[in-house]
Each structure stands twice: as C-alpha cells, then as structure tokens.
Amino acid sequence: MTDALSLIELFPQHEDWSLQTMRLLAQVNVGGADLFECARTAGRIGDTTDDEIWHVEWSRTAREVADWGRTELAAGHLTTGSAALFRSCSYWRHSEFFLDSADPRREEAYRSGTTNFQEAARLSEGTIERIEVPFEGQTLDGYIMRPDNSGAPRPTVLFLGGADSWAEELVFLGGNQFPARGINLVVVDTPGRGSSLRFKKIYSRPDYEKPVAAVLDFLGERADVDSDRIGLAGVSFGGYYAPRAAAFEPRVKAVAAWCGTWSILTDFYEYYPPLQKQLQWLSGSKDDSEARQKLAAFTLDGVADKIKVPVYVMHGTRDVIMDIAGARRFVDALTVEDVTFDVFDAAGSLHCSYDHLAFAVARMTDWFADRL
C-alpha cells in the first residue's frame, strides 16, 4: 500500500501494521488518537517487523499518555485528563492486535484500556453511561452515549463491532458522530467481542438477532430511547451481524453494513488468512477445521431477501480483508427498494474506508439521520 491513496503510512515495511495504524490515525479527528503520539511511537519501532516490539512500544505509549492524563486530572484539568485517558484506551487496543489470543498480555491491555475509558467516561457529565444488558443468564457490557442529559426520547443506533473491535473503540470509530446529529449511540460487547469473549466465553453465533433482541429489550425500558426509531449498524464482521439481525428483528427501522458480506467463511476467513486465528477464537473453535464448520453458518443466503427496512452498504474496492464481491452479492439479493450502496474506488477504498473515515462516517450517520 504505497501509492498516493494511502496518504499516511507509518509502517510501509508491514502491510498489516500499516493498515491497522491507518485505522488508529483515522480516529485522530474525533479524539481517539493523536497524530504525533502515533508518529513518535512509530519512530521508536523503526523498520522492524517484530510483533513483540510492536506491543512493547504501543503499550508504552498507552501507559505514558494515561500517566500524564491522571497527573492533569489531579491538577483539576478534567478536559485534558479525560482526553488523554480516551487516547490511552485506543493505544492499549492497538498494542494487543497482533498478540496471540492466549497471550496474557491481551487481558492486561484490555483491562488497562477499558479502565481508562471508563474513568474518562465518568467525567462526561452523564452523556456516556455504562450499561449491562441481561442475556441468557449473563450480562453484556456496554455504553449508551447521548447528545445531552435532557432525558428526552431520541432515535437510537446500536453499533456492532467486528472481529476484533472493543465496544469502547466504536465511540471513536465514528460512533460519536451519532450524538452530534441528535441520535443516541449504543455500543455493547455482544457475543464474540470484548469482555463477553475474554471473560465470559460468550462466543459469536450466526443467529445474531438473539443478542440484538436482548439489547433492544433493555433499551425499550429507557425513557431516553424512542423505541419507534431504532437503527442498527455493523462494521467489518458487523456487516454480517447487522443485516442478519435486521432480517428477523422488526424493531429495527434502518440497517447499515459498513463493509458488506455474503459469507463470512469465503468473504473473510478464507479471503484474509492473517485473521483466521482471531476468527477461530471468537467462534470458540479449537482449530481451522472447526472454525470452517462453524463459520459456514454465517451467511446471508436466505436472509438478505427478508430485510424489509432501508439498507445502507459501504465498501472499498481495495479492501484486502473482506471481499467486495460478497458486498455486491448481498446488495443484489436485497428486495427492499431503499438501498444505498457506496463503493469507494479511490479515497476510502481500504477496509472500512480508514483512509477516508471522516467522509465515510458522515455519509453513514447522515443516512441514519435522514431515516430515523
């Protein structure tokens, strides 16, 4: 990825490092990272391709930024301190990306990062609230982010992450643009993600309408949620989760697939081998054979034509992680009239349009605002 469309590559020697760091850099605009903190970290890493050095240096940055943030909080500088803790969460998430799923440092990174996020969220004057959603005898951890503390019922979008995202990251991966448009944002560690995967062994499942229904049941009890105006969005692997749930959950009034797909097995698992270990972990599979068997059920065949609400699909032509052919097949199978399919062929053509995030997120959030 060395052509002009990539714009900023801190790790030209490693395509996967480069792509994932563009994902982090895309969040600079909304407070998820700082460009120069990232550049200094990249400078320390240098031209190596050693995943160990990657983890050491990004976790160092995460600690240093958090330490500075807490120093500022102690001095009464709440805005400065909370902003630093939010960024530290992003750096902790970034540090664990290339670690093996069994590496205990993944838990350290997760606990440290989410602790920092929650500390900062408590300083949000109530606009970011932690929630616990009952589900099959356990709870799914998450947050609701509101435009204000008026308590007025608002349209609400449940934003589902992908194969490796934390609920906390989704706030900065475009999620905070929903409250900016008068819409509540809800992010939850649904099966196969975040705390549900790490600590509760709640693995991903093809019938994603079940956990989505649990979240919507929970939201239906809240006075600040307008249950007649519920949207559902999914990013990356969430491009399967969200359409699947929308096909069977009548409370969803509009759905977006930020990366479309048809079959997780062929369009993701087989298409991008570097994430196969991650997909084995989140599906609760002991090996490649079991993962293939389980992931074969994650398909929109026989599902897409059941969606009866407006659909938005976004995909890039240079997406090396999820095959755009799956997105095209999904769109072709839809029978609903209101379908918007944004295909990015230049800027925005990478996975999840990290290289054009401000534009892509605006397109998606405005689409929801127009329909909810």
Side-chain angles (χ1 to χ4, degrees):
M1 294 182 187
T2 56
D3 62 44
L5 295 179
S6 296
L7 299 180
I8 299 176
E9 279 196 293
L10 295 182
F11 301 103
Q13 78 275 20
H14 195 303
E15 184 178 49
D16 293 328
W17 282 13
S18 182
L19 179 61
Q20 292 306 319
T21 304
M22 279 189 262
R23 166 180 173 176
L24 182 64
L25 296 176
Q27 301 171 42
V28 168
N29 184 51
V30 291
D34 175 80
L35 176 61
F36 294 100
E37 289 170 349
C38 294
R40 284 190 287 273
T41 307
R44 296 196 304 268
I45 292 173
D47 59 2
T48 180
T49 57
D50 187 339
D51 289 343
E52 180 68 21
I53 295 175
W54 168 279
H55 173 73
V56 167
E57 292 302 335
W58 282 109
S59 59
R60 171 185 166 182
T61 297
R63 290 189 182 94
E64 290 177 350
V65 171
D67 288 346
W68 176 65
R70 291 195 171 91
T71 298
E72 292 301 304
L73 290 178
H77 303 152
L78 303 187
T79 300
T80 299
S82 62
L85 291 176
F86 279 136
R87 298 198 307 278
S88 174
C89 176
S90 297
Y91 301 145
W92 274 119
R93 187 209 62 78
H94 203 51
S95 78
E96 61 127 38
F97 189 90
F98 295 103
L99 294 177
D100 185 82
S101 59
D103 193 315
R105 292 174 297 178
R106 292 199 83 156
E107 179 175 337
E108 176 198 17
Y110 183 82
R111 290 191 184 278
S112 298
T114 56
T115 295
N116 292 346
F117 183 96
Q118 290 159 14
E119 186 174 346
R122 287 194 291 272
L123 301 172
S124 70
E125 298 181 344
T127 56
I128 304 178
E129 175 190 337
R130 288 187 70 188
I131 60 175
E132 292 184 339
V133 176
F135 179 65
E136 297 185 348
Q138 300 193 71
T139 57
L140 308 177
D141 306 318
Y143 307 86
I144 182 169
M145 186 175 186
R146 299 180 293 266
D148 54 43
N149 290 321
S150 68
R154 302 273 190 174
T156 300
V157 170
L158 170 59
F159 189 12
L160 303 172
D164 60 288
S165 59
W166 305 358
E168 291 78 8
E169 184 202 10
L170 296 177
V171 171
F172 298 109
L173 200 63
N176 58 12
Q177 295 306 293
F178 287 106
R181 288 159 173 79
I183 301 171
N184 294 328
L185 167 74
V186 177
V187 291
V188 177
D189 282 331
T190 45
R193 299 177 41 250
S195 60
S196 294
L197 173 63
R198 287 165 170 80
F199 308 132
K200 305 173 186 179
K201 301 296 187 289
I202 304 176
Y203 298 111
S204 189
R205 51 195 290 170
D207 58 341
Y208 229 72
E209 67 274 13
K210 299 292 180 60
V212 166
V215 178
L216 298 190
D217 288 345
F218 174 86
L219 295 177
E221 300 297 320
R222 296 184 62 101
D224 55 0
V225 172
D226 183 345
S227 296
D228 292 326
R229 294 190 289 169
I230 297 290
L232 183 60
V235 61
S236 193
F237 196 141
Y240 166 80
Y241 294 146
R244 164 72 197 211
F248 298 102
E249 177 47 68
R251 288 172 289 185
V252 173
K253 306 304 181 187
V255 62
W258 182 355
C259 291
T261 189
W262 184 255
S263 163
I264 289 296
L265 177 60
T266 59
D267 301 337
F268 194 175
Y269 188 84
E270 294 178 348
Y271 190 70
Y272 189 64
L275 274 182
Q276 287 182 351
K277 289 291 187 182
Q278 178 78 17
L279 294 177
Q280 290 170 23
W281 181 33
L282 69 85
S283 62
S285 304
K286 64 180 182 296
D287 55 26
D288 173 74
S289 177
E290 185 178 1
R292 289 175 180 275
Q293 181 179 6
K294 288 184 175 180
L295 293 174
F298 290 72
T299 175
L300 296 176
D301 188 9
V303 174
D305 62 340
K306 293 180 172 62
I307 299 174
K308 304 303 180 186
V309 297
V311 179
Y312 176 76
V313 181
M314 180 198 315
H315 214 109
T317 57
R318 297 196 308 153
D319 189 334
V320 298
I321 294 179
M322 293 181 73
D323 191 351
I324 192 173
R328 297 188 190 280
R329 188 172 179 184
F330 168 56
V331 170
D332 288 344
L334 291 167
T335 58
V336 66
E337 290 186 4
D338 187 350
V339 178
T340 302
F341 187 20
D342 278 345
V343 176
F344 295 108
D345 192 38
S349 60
L350 302 184
H351 183 59
C352 295
S353 299
Y354 296 142
D355 58 323
H356 203 27
L357 196 72
F359 180 88
V361 168
R363 284 282 294 165
M364 181 178 70
T365 49
D366 284 342
W367 182 89
F368 273 109
D370 289 343
R371 285 156 181 80
L372 297 179

